[in-house]
Amino acid sequence: MSVIVRKPGLYTSIQDLGRQEYQHIGIVKNGSIDQLNHRIANLLVGNNEEEALIEMTVSMPTIQFTEPTLIAITGANFPAFRDQERISPYKIQLMNKGETLSFNDAHKGTRGYLAIAGGIVADEWLGSKSTSIRLEMGGYKGRLLQESDEIEMCRNYTPLQKKLFENLEVSKSASWGLDQYTLALNYFSDIFHIISGEGVTHLSDDDLKTLESKVYKVSNRFNRTGLTLDGEPVINSNFKNQPFLSVKKGSVILNKENQPVIMLNDHQSLSSYPQLGTIASYHIDKLAQKKQGSKIIFKIINIKEAELNMKKHAQFIKQVKTGIRYKLTEELNK
């Protein structure tokens, strides 16, 4: 049995946490861009947090279920509906046979994540089910989801998931969930840390300090490869015949107009454009939810500051995961 895509949405694909060890040969990581919301969605339905799920972007899909299953929706604030009934994100939901999941436009954010208990069947390539659109590998036939696609469910349910089916048979929705305000500080700030000394080329300390005084906005050129920002040029110099340097997720480069471009999961491996540095890893998930017109303000930090912030961020994520696991244990013991 399967879930059927009735409307594909704008940019809907199957993603896990990506390919981990192949960038040195030019194969980028792919995977969910907002990995925190990916992990939370899977944890809520009792999956391993790395399990493949459906990443949905800007315009959401409509999906019909051909058998009962458990789902969780996380990410951008897209109002969600089970048939005509409004349902809550960040909660476990029971979908029955024939029911349809649909969405309205998001109030905030760009990307949503749909986890299905037990996981989904997808093409695996280089140890990952993530869709590589550019190479047409992984996920569902190596492409975006289209109308009438049928995605098989693994249905390898654990004792916990079987108990959740039993507990939600009548209510269809868990009485608890993750409070979205818990994640607010992680997502709603417009300030992004750039780590100095990582990939910086041809820019003085004064150039980088000037960068902090500018306010940029996300242009209409944003996708899984990266975000191009609108605003004052960072510098007025033209660099020619530059050597190619490696690019990674979070690299901030300057395009021909000297506007910043922030690389995301499907970035190219090399670039000859000047680099400003690298967005701190703990701000990448926030970056994934910025839409056209969103403000971006850069703050330069050093590696020591980044490490301290990363430890705080890791502790925050640990607390979120611990809370979810505690509530799931309560469900198992009902």
Side-chain angles (χ1 to χ4, degrees):
M1 302 295 282
S2 61
V3 297
I4 302 173
V5 179
R6 295 304 183 192
K7 294 181 181 179
L10 180 63
Y11 208 96
T12 307
S13 64
I14 292 174
Q15 302 290 340
D16 56 22
L17 295 183
R19 297 174 179 87
Q20 305 299 327
E21 300 176 356
Y22 298 94
Q23 294 190 53
H24 67 289
I25 58 173
I27 297 174
V28 298
K29 185 176 179 179
N30 305 124
S32 290
I33 297 181
D34 183 346
Q35 300 213 338
L36 175 56
N37 270 306
H38 177 117
R39 294 174 188 274
I40 290 172
N42 272 321
L43 288 172
L44 283 168
V45 295
N47 290 345
N48 292 327
E49 57 190 83
E50 299 87 359
E51 183 61 58
L53 46 58
I54 298 175
E55 181 182 73
M56 307 168 287
T57 307
V58 181
S59 178
M60 304 288 271
T62 298
I63 295 174
Q64 187 173 33
F65 294 79
T66 64
E67 67 175 85
T69 193
L70 304 167
I71 68 166
I73 307 157
T74 63
N77 189 10
F78 294 93
F81 299 86
R82 181 197 292 114
D83 288 343
Q84 303 302 315
E85 176 193 3
R86 178 79 177 264
I87 59 174
S88 298
Y90 294 95
K91 278 189 173 185
I92 310 166
Q93 305 288 346
L94 174 65
M95 301 295 294
N96 282 323
K97 179 179 179 180
E99 289 183 331
T100 297
L101 177 68
S102 61
F103 302 86
N104 287 344
D105 293 339
H107 300 305
K108 290 184 179 180
T110 301
R111 292 179 173 88
Y113 294 86
L114 170 62
I116 298 174
I120 54 180
V121 177
D123 300 331
E124 188 170 312
W125 179 56
L126 297 180
S128 170
K129 294 180 179 180
S130 287
T131 308
S132 173
I133 305 299
R134 185 183 305 168
L135 299 178
E136 299 182 350
M137 300 294 288
Y140 188 92
K141 301 180 180 180
R143 61 166 171 77
L144 300 177
L145 297 182
Q146 300 175 4
E147 185 176 347
S148 300
D149 284 346
E150 296 192 27
I151 303 168
E152 291 293 323
M153 295 185 288
C154 293
R155 300 190 300 280
N156 186 22
Y157 297 124
T158 64
L160 167 62
Q161 290 165 334
K162 292 176 181 177
K163 190 67 166 63
L164 286 170
F165 273 106
E166 178 184 324
N167 294 352
L168 301 184
E169 184 177 1
V170 176
S171 66
K172 300 184 67 174
S173 178
S175 60
W176 59 274
L178 181 63
D179 188 341
Q180 286 180 275
Y181 290 104
T182 301
L183 302 177
L185 291 177
N186 193 68
Y187 282 94
F188 292 157
S189 169
D190 297 325
I191 296 174
F192 289 82
H193 291 171
I194 292 184
I195 303 173
S196 62
E198 288 202 1
V200 179
T201 57
H202 305 291
L203 296 173
S204 68
D205 289 343
D206 287 342
D207 290 330
L208 292 174
K209 284 297 180 184
T210 300
L211 180 67
E212 292 185 314
S213 67
K214 302 178 186 292
V215 177
Y216 292 93
K217 290 187 177 181
V218 178
S219 74
N220 60 359
R221 293 171 290 171
F222 75 99
N223 51 35
R224 286 183 51 86
T225 299
L227 293 84
T228 300
L229 306 184
D230 287 334
E232 294 182 20
V234 176
I235 51 178
N236 295 315
S237 302
N238 292 318
F239 298 110
K240 297 181 179 179
N241 302 318
Q242 299 302 306
F244 280 86
L245 299 173
S246 63
V247 174
K248 61 183 179 181
K249 183 178 180 179
S251 293
V252 185
I253 67 174
L254 295 181
N255 61 16
K256 293 179 180 179
E257 293 78 33
N258 284 324
Q259 301 283 62
V261 181
I262 307 174
M263 297 290 98
L264 292 176
N265 295 45
D266 294 0
H267 61 80
Q268 67 266 35
S269 300
L270 298 171
S271 172
S272 62
Y273 290 115
Q275 298 190 19
L276 303 183
T278 306
I279 298 292
S281 60
Y282 50 81
H283 278 169
I284 295 293
D285 295 326
K286 177 172 65 172
L287 191 65
Q289 295 296 347
K290 293 299 183 183
K291 60 173 62 175
Q292 182 179 354
S294 296
K295 291 180 181 179
I296 302 287
I297 300 170
F298 294 117
K299 178 177 173 56
I300 311 300
I301 65 170
N302 58 40
I303 292 176
K304 185 176 181 179
E305 290 173 310
E307 288 176 346
L308 289 174
N309 289 333
M310 287 174 66
K311 289 179 181 178
K312 294 177 183 177
H313 184 66
Q315 183 62 32
F316 162 72
I317 293 176
K318 182 179 179 180
Q319 291 172 347
V320 171
K321 291 180 180 180
T322 299
I324 293 172
R325 291 179 176 128
Y326 175 79
K327 298 302 291 187
L328 288 174
T329 299
E330 286 190 332
E331 291 285 348
L332 186 60
N333 293 328
K334 281 184 179 178

